[in-house]
Amino acid sequence: MDSKNGKQILKPLTERGFKVTALAPDLSFLLKETPAEAWLAEMKEGKIDPGEISFAQNLSDLLRIAVLYKYGGIYLDTDFIVLKKLSSLQNTIGAEIMDAKLKNWHRLNSALLIFDKGHPILFKFLEGYAHDFDGNRWGHNSPHLVTRVIKKMGPQEILDYNITILSTFAFYPVDWNKIVEFFHKPSNEAELKRKAASLVQLNMTYSLHLWNKVTSKIKIEEGSIIEQLISDHCILCQHTHSI
């Protein structure tokens, strides 16, 4: 994206006044004086096994934390539909799996993170990444990382760190194993009613994660929930569905 072609891709946004740019990350700069600085040096020297999982994917897990630690702000994966402004949230992470009855979370997710510059929990995430890096286990360096780190903290420490943990409904209202049906148009009256109810619920939350690993090859059908949400909330919407 940090190229002439990338600028062309972003042109429809910049022409509309959005302050958007693409930058190639400088890892050494971003990790300087962080717990991951030594990890990067050892990785370059071949002292750490990068593992079988795409190294770019594992670096993405690290970069989001490093950028937030250095600059603060909002990080989110590209497979989100943002349904409500996130500007009211601060130092926030969302739960992916919760106990519906007890309201206790079992796993957090790092696909959407909102933190202040230099927040101490981000420092802990960087420590955990460098200390426990495993390039062979999917999720170990991202959702499982933030889960491990925060699970080690007591309730009072979480309060002291000024961290807000939102329920699954906030960022991940639809689980990965149920998202596919949202791409298909209703085929009967019962499904139409479920669609209407789902849209009412979804429009009360912050975002919908599309779980791209599951849905990247699925066509968005006209009349589907996803088609409706994109039409209502996206900035540039052309030919979003396929019949």
Side-chain angles (χ1 to χ4, degrees):
M1 290 292 287
D2 189 6
S3 64
K4 287 184 178 180
N5 187 46
K7 289 179 181 178
Q8 195 64 30
I9 292 171
L10 295 175
K11 191 175 180 181
L13 293 171
T14 56
E15 285 181 340
R16 286 165 172 79
F18 291 96
K19 296 179 180 179
V20 181
T21 190
L23 297 173
D26 183 336
L27 272 175
S28 297
F29 171 74
L30 288 170
L31 299 180
K32 187 174 179 59
E33 298 179 354
T34 76
E37 183 177 18
W39 173 89
L40 179 63
E42 291 183 3
M43 180 63 75
K44 287 180 176 179
E45 292 169 5
K47 295 179 180 179
I48 298 176
D49 178 11
E52 296 181 358
I53 293 173
S54 165
F55 190 56
Q57 179 178 321
N58 281 321
L59 277 184
S60 169
D61 298 330
L62 175 60
L63 277 170
R64 70 189 67 179
I65 301 169
V67 170
L68 285 175
Y69 183 68
K70 192 167 187 66
Y71 298 106
I74 298 173
Y75 168 85
L76 69 160
D77 284 356
T78 55
D79 57 343
F80 270 98
I81 300 176
V82 177
L83 305 173
K84 191 162 63 175
K85 286 184 178 180
L86 303 172
S87 54
S88 63
L89 302 177
Q90 184 180 26
N91 301 324
T92 300
I93 190 169
E96 178 187 335
I97 300 175
M98 292 190 72
D99 185 309
K101 291 183 179 179
L102 299 177
K103 305 296 183 183
N104 294 329
W105 59 268
H106 295 301
R107 186 164 76 205
L108 305 176
N109 198 309
S110 57
L112 201 163
L113 300 168
I114 304 170
F115 282 99
D116 294 341
K117 174 182 177 180
H119 194 283
I121 194 62
L122 298 172
F123 189 88
K124 280 183 173 287
F125 290 161
L126 290 167
E127 277 185 327
Y129 186 101
H131 185 266
D132 299 325
F133 176 81
D134 187 335
N136 294 309
R137 295 162 62 188
W138 186 90
H140 181 80
N141 307 307
S142 48
H144 297 170
L145 165 67
V146 296
T147 301
R148 286 194 308 273
V149 170
I150 294 182
K151 270 191 173 180
K152 291 177 182 177
M153 302 169 67
Q156 186 57 50
E157 191 175 7
I158 291 175
L159 285 174
D160 292 342
Y161 271 56
N162 188 29
I163 302 169
T164 298
I165 300 174
L166 295 182
S167 72
T168 54
F169 182 69
F171 300 153
Y172 312 100
V174 180
D175 199 11
W176 65 268
N177 58 5
K178 295 180 180 178
I179 190 66
V180 171
E181 64 189 73
F182 284 62
F183 282 70
H184 301 311
K185 63 182 178 182
S187 59
N188 54 51
E189 189 65 29
E191 289 185 1
L192 275 171
K193 289 181 179 179
R194 283 201 296 272
K195 173 188 173 182
S198 295
L199 284 170
V200 169
Q201 280 197 316
L202 288 170
N203 278 306
M204 292 189 293
T205 191
Y206 287 101
S207 65
L208 176 64
H209 193 202
L210 300 182
W211 306 104
N212 186 59
K213 190 174 182 180
V214 176
T215 62
S216 60
K217 296 181 180 179
I218 297 176
K219 292 181 178 180
I220 302 172
E221 295 180 1
E222 186 173 10
S224 67
I225 291 174
I226 299 299
E227 190 262 348
Q228 182 68 56
L229 290 174
I230 289 175
S231 297
D232 290 345
H233 296 281
C234 76
I235 297 169
L236 299 170
C237 299
Q238 290 182 338
H239 311 298
T240 58
H241 60 264
S242 302
I243 300 174

